Amino acid sequence: MQPTPRTTPSRLAKRAQYDEETVYSILDESMFCTVSFTIDGQPFALPTAFARYEDRIYLHGSVGSHFIRELEKGIPVCISVMLTDALVVAKSAFHHSVNYRSVVVFSNAEKVEDTTLKWEALRWITEKIVPNSWEYLRPMTESEVRKTTVLSFPIVEASAKLRTGMPKDDEEDQELPIWSGLIPLRTVRETPVGDEFSKNVSLPEHLTHLPS
């Protein structure tokens, strides 16, 4: 991907990366994104689940959703994700930071009309949130699929931005007797908790080996 004025950070541009491997890996690890757009001058931001397949982002919503109906018109959007890896604790509040991996994509939605692709996209999103669950679940009905809109967004104008490493304290502060370093963060899937209708149902294998 080539940098554009919109994907070039105005600050710390050296942290930006434009290779597909980096951008795609961050998108694939992120379960949720935020789709930002404007309608009649009013800004909106829609948090939602998504999946990437090849060079496109797929998301879904109700055919009755006002936001989905606006997006399917192909209006410009900005899609963003962020993974936090650690809190960066410096010796001064000014130099506190976060180790993160983020992606920003500028794109326009295309409504998925092909029935086979629509089913596949719904499977990709489902499998991303709960891996290996699609075949276990009660199959979606054709009526349910008709009530769902799937949108795809080409990943053409995009960039990743990352921060790694320890705090960057001022040289004169480095020997102060104040602790500095990293507080690692991670998101994990914990042990599933069943509802009242699953008391006599064994936990399926795909839920006993959830990825961290």
Side-chain angles (χ1 to χ4, degrees), residues 7-138:
T7 61
T8 302
S10 59
R11 185 173 179 276
L12 297 174
K14 63 183 180 181
R15 292 183 181 173
Q17 297 186 31
Y18 300 93
D19 61 289
E20 291 182 353
E21 181 179 1
T22 299
V23 170
Y24 289 175
S25 68
I26 296 171
L27 291 173
D28 292 347
E29 188 173 339
S30 304
M31 289 194 292
F32 308 101
C33 68
T34 298
V35 184
S36 303
F37 52 95
T38 60
I39 301 175
D40 298 329
Q42 173 65 48
F44 294 92
L46 178 66
T48 184
F50 77 101
R52 178 196 68 87
Y53 184 76
E54 295 182 341
D55 61 350
R56 287 177 177 265
I57 288 172
Y58 292 87
L59 60 85
H60 74 298
S62 168
V63 296
S65 166
H66 170 67
F67 295 135
I68 293 295
R69 292 201 307 270
E70 290 294 329
L71 293 178
E72 71 180 41
K73 296 176 183 178
I75 63 175
V77 304
C78 177
I79 300 174
S80 60
V81 305
M82 177 178 173
L83 300 170
T84 53
D85 297 318
L87 302 178
V88 181
V89 182
K91 295 182 185 296
S92 71
F94 181 80
H95 287 298
H96 277 15
S97 189
V98 176
N99 282 349
Y100 65 90
R101 291 165 288 147
S102 64
V103 166
V104 171
V105 180
F106 293 94
S107 192
N108 304 77
E110 298 175 10
K111 185 177 180 180
V112 176
E113 302 284 6
D114 181 82
T115 302
T116 300
L117 179 57
K118 188 175 181 180
W119 278 88
E120 280 293 278
L122 293 171
R123 181 176 67 83
W124 295 330
I125 296 170
T126 302
E127 290 276 291
K128 183 175 184 181
I129 301 302
V130 185
N132 303 312
S133 64
W134 183 258
E135 296 298 330
Y136 173 80
L137 299 170
R138 187 267 288 164

Side-chain angles (χ1 to χ4, degrees), residues 155-206:
I155 307 171
V156 176
E157 189 178 3
S159 65
K161 192 177 181 185
L162 303 82
R163 187 204 188 278
T164 60
M166 288 291 180
K168 311 243 186 281
D169 279 302
D170 295 331
E171 186 174 353
E172 61 269 24
D173 291 340
Q174 291 175 356
E175 299 302 324
L176 290 174
I178 298 172
W179 188 92
S180 55
L182 302 179
I183 302 175
L185 299 174
R186 65 191 184 107
T187 299
V188 297
R189 292 177 171 91
E190 296 189 340
T191 303
V193 179
D195 64 15
E196 61 178 308
F197 302 106
S198 298
K199 293 177 180 177
N200 298 316
V201 180
S202 299
L203 194 66
E205 184 176 357
H206 71 274

